[in-house]
Amino acid sequence: MNIHFKIISMPKRAQILEAGIRLFVERGLQGTSMSLLAKEANVATGSVYNYFESKEQLINEIFLYVKQKEADFLLENHRPDSSYEEAIKALLRAGIRFMLDNCLYFRFSHLYGFSSAIEDQTREKLHIVFEPFIKLYQDAKNAGVLREIRIPDVNIQIYGGFSYFIHWQFVNHNTVDEHLIEQMVDFAWAAIKSPTTTS
């Protein structure tokens, strides 16, 4: 399904980024030209090049933009003063909710999260963006609450599982309700908690 709408009262750079998300999701990297992007963003083609030198730079900036949106949403639901279990479950819940409530952002991440178009230096910037959540997992591991596993591996396994499961639900037009969200959270927690953790 194609999604087309004009963005009102948004800075021009953000207009271009949002238009790029829609086009890269709908048409792919090769099917999106800078001129088409300008038309979708309702700006002059020259304006696109004022902000982004190339399509390659643009998709990397979009990747960071989407991930920053996700991190901001997670931060709003972050509960650092709770127990490790409660804080991590709140984070997992928020991650699922972000995917469900931000379909285009989710689909972009799902399509391009492991794409070679995203440069290594772009990925490295995610450590800063997601630092509070990495720290939560690391602290929980140091406290013996999580099993012995590399923290990046924990995130990839959980995010990857959630991402493909929700994508499958979208493709099959299934509803992801609160009960299913809690099942996903409990399943993920059971997978990463230390065998000595009682709950």
Side-chain angles (χ1 to χ4, degrees):
M1 180 179 68
N2 292 332
I3 302 172
H4 297 286
F5 56 89
K6 290 184 179 179
I7 304 170
I8 300 173
S9 299
M10 181 179 288
K12 194 171 291 186
R13 185 177 187 276
Q15 284 183 229
I16 296 168
L17 290 168
E18 291 285 347
I21 293 168
R22 294 194 298 276
L23 290 175
F24 286 137
V25 166
E26 294 171 6
R27 294 173 174 264
L29 189 58
Q30 299 304 318
T32 301
S33 66
M34 295 296 258
S35 58
L36 179 62
L37 175 66
K39 182 178 179 181
E40 179 76 5
N42 197 30
V43 300
T45 302
S47 294
V48 177
Y49 284 104
N50 285 338
Y51 292 96
F52 308 101
E53 295 180 358
S54 64
K55 187 163 56 173
E56 290 71 26
Q57 182 193 5
L58 173 62
I59 196 167
N60 278 269
E61 290 293 329
I62 287 175
F63 184 75
L64 289 176
Y65 174 80
V66 167
K67 288 301 180 182
Q68 185 64 64
K69 292 279 189 181
E70 180 181 354
D72 291 344
F73 184 85
L74 295 179
L75 201 56
E76 290 177 8
N77 295 273
H78 191 29
R79 302 290 180 264
D81 296 329
S82 304
S83 68
Y84 288 123
E85 178 181 353
E86 291 172 344
I88 290 172
K89 283 186 173 181
L91 198 59
L92 296 174
R93 233 175 257 114
I96 296 169
R97 180 52 61 195
F98 182 83
M99 294 179 188
L100 294 173
D101 294 349
N102 299 274
C103 184
L104 276 175
Y105 294 164
F106 165 66
R107 289 175 64 194
F108 179 88
S109 292
H110 186 78
L111 289 170
Y112 296 101
F114 295 100
S115 169
S116 59
I118 308 303
E119 300 171 354
D120 289 342
Q121 53 265 42
T122 300
R123 297 185 190 281
E124 289 170 4
K125 293 177 182 177
L126 295 184
H127 292 290
I128 299 172
V129 174
F130 288 94
E131 193 276 334
F133 319 118
I134 295 171
K135 183 179 185 302
L136 170 63
Y137 281 113
Q138 189 62 60
D139 289 348
K141 179 184 173 182
N142 293 342
V145 175
L146 299 186
R147 65 177 63 248
E148 282 298 319
I149 186 171
R150 291 179 65 250
I151 299 306
D153 293 344
V154 171
N155 182 63
I156 291 170
Q157 289 176 33
I158 292 174
Y159 184 88
F162 286 175
S163 177
Y164 278 92
F165 183 74
I166 290 174
H167 182 73
W168 184 84
Q169 299 292 339
F170 281 160
V171 168
N172 289 278
H173 308 289
N174 295 330
T175 299
V176 179
D177 58 18
E178 294 301 320
H179 177 69
L180 184 53
I181 290 173
E182 287 306 310
Q183 282 187 331
M184 295 167 68
V185 168
D186 289 342
F187 185 83
W189 174 248
I192 66 174
K193 73 175 184 176
S194 169
T196 61
T197 302
T198 56
S199 56

